């Protein structure tokens, strides 16, 4: 992308969501300045049991429906987008106010095709601060990006590597592996802010150990479907354990949690 083309109207922000009615409006409201500068916002609802889609509609350029599954939802969003640069944003993650300018300028001057932001986890407890710092460092060393870091990519590169793989877990890791064949990622130091809700609900150390164990198994060839089942079983087990203290609150079934 040449420098003279680095404008917000080149950017599509794609947000997969499922059962996010409680927070989707606030997340989308934070994107309205980017929309005013020309960015396109697309929400892909994955068969929510609540009114996520209805609440999102006034704050997005379009809301489309898909079968649940983060990789599938993001691919559907990319198919409906109209811009040459795609940014994939989780429904519990906030971009920097000038994210559009930062990433488009970096793509224009760097000759690269993809990248991500640093991440900050809130509430910013000492342990979650350390988790975020390690995520950012690991990503710089390995060139692997996670969904919490708001991965962005040119449309041409995204299609050149076949879009997100049709797998139930580790889709961001696999996409990063494929994109690395085209070149290293841009690692922007500007921070996105993501919710620590799943770390807090499951337990920070428990989440760290679980995700590293799943990553290790994936590295050695374990099926993403099998790994997703392990993750979901752990989530269900933890929810049952916490049920008496949760006073009937529903469990958010949103996708993977990166560590």
């Amino acid at each position: 992308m040449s420098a003279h083309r680095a404008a917000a109207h080149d950017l599509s922000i794609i947000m997969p969501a499922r059962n996010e009615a409680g927070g989707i409006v606030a997340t989308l409201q934070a994107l309205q300045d980017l929309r005013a500068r020309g960015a396109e916002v697309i929400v892909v609802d994955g068969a929510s049991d609540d009114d996520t889609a209805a609440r999102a509609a006034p704050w997005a350029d379009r809301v489309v429906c898909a079968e649940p599954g983060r990789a599938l939802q993001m691919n559907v969003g990319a198919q409906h987008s109209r811009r040459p640069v795609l940014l994939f944003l989780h429904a519990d993650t906030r971009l920097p106010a000038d994210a559009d300018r930062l990433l488009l300028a970096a793509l224009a001057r760097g000759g690269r095709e993809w990248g991500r932001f640093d991440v900050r986890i809130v509430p910013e407890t000492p342990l979650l601060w350390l988790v975020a710092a390690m995520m950012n460092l690991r990503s710089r060393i390995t060139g692997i990006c996670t969904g919490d870091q708001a991965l962005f990519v040119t449309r041409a590169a995204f299609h050149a590597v076949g879009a997100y793989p049709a797998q139930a877990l580790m889709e961001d890791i696999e996409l990063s592996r494929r994109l690395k064949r085209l070149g290293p990622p841009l690692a922007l130091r500007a921070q996105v802010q993501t919710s620590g809700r799943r770390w807090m609900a499951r337990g920070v150390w428990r989440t760290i150990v679980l995700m590293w164990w799943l990553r290790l198994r994936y590295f050695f060839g374990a099926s993403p479907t099998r790994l997703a089942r392990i993750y979901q079983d752990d989530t269900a087990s933890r929810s049952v354990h916490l049920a008496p203290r949760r006073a009937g609150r529903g469990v958010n079934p949103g996708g993977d949690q990166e560590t």
Side-chain angles (χ1 to χ4, degrees):
M1 176 178 291
S2 61
H4 73 276
R5 296 190 61 237
H9 55 70
D10 287 324
L11 179 65
S12 288
I13 300 171
I14 298 166
M15 181 181 297
R18 185 169 189 267
N19 295 340
E20 294 285 355
I24 192 84
V25 170
T27 300
L28 291 172
Q29 285 177 335
L31 299 176
Q32 297 311 296
D33 284 348
L34 279 73
R35 287 184 74 201
R37 292 196 291 267
E40 175 185 53
V41 175
I42 299 172
V43 175
V44 187
D45 182 63
S48 292
D49 299 318
D50 60 18
D51 59 347
T52 293
R55 294 194 181 192
W59 304 99
D61 294 284
R62 61 178 62 186
V63 177
V64 297
C65 297
E67 293 297 316
R70 184 167 282 161
L72 173 62
Q73 290 172 246
M74 291 189 289
N75 285 342
V76 168
Q79 291 166 8
H80 282 82
S81 68
R82 302 186 177 115
R83 308 296 169 79
V85 178
L86 311 174
L87 182 148
F88 298 97
L89 183 67
H90 288 186
D92 60 357
T93 301
R94 306 285 183 91
L95 292 173
D98 56 349
D100 51 347
R101 295 164 177 158
L102 290 171
L103 75 91
L104 291 168
L107 288 170
R109 69 174 176 265
R112 301 190 192 180
E113 298 291 330
W114 68 295
R116 55 67 169 175
F117 291 86
D118 274 2
V119 66
R120 180 169 71 93
I121 304 170
V122 292
E124 198 170 25
T125 66
L127 189 51
L128 288 179
W129 178 90
L130 180 61
V131 169
M134 293 305 295
M135 287 172 63
N136 297 330
L137 178 61
R138 182 189 64 207
S139 179
R140 279 190 169 79
I141 293 172
T142 65
I144 298 295
C145 306
T146 68
D148 289 323
Q149 293 173 304
L151 187 149
F152 55 87
V153 59
T154 65
R155 176 184 296 278
F158 184 70
H159 288 300
V161 300
Y164 274 99
Q167 58 190 61
L169 201 67
M170 307 293 175
E171 71 279 354
D172 297 305
I173 292 176
E174 186 58 36
L175 180 67
S176 294
R177 285 179 174 177
R178 297 178 185 184
L179 287 169
K180 282 177 65 178
R181 299 169 192 161
L182 304 180
L186 290 158
L188 303 187
R189 292 195 179 275
Q191 294 178 333
V192 298
Q193 175 181 296
T194 196
S195 170
R197 59 184 178 174
R198 296 188 186 95
W199 278 284
M200 304 296 285
R202 178 180 272 110
V204 177
W205 284 113
R206 180 188 180 108
T207 303
I208 291 172
V209 171
L210 173 64
M211 293 309 300
W212 274 98
W213 171 238
L214 294 176
R215 284 173 179 273
L216 184 64
R217 293 193 62 178
Y218 184 70
F219 177 79
F220 284 105
S223 162
T225 301
R226 171 59 180 158
L227 298 180
R229 192 174 302 119
I230 294 171
Y231 181 88
Q232 291 161 1
D233 288 348
D234 182 84
T235 300
S237 173
R238 184 65 176 167
S239 298
V240 170
H241 176 72
L242 292 177
R245 289 184 287 166
R246 291 174 68 99
R249 289 168 51 199
V251 179
N252 189 303
D256 59 298
Q257 181 69 62
E258 305 289 358
T259 59

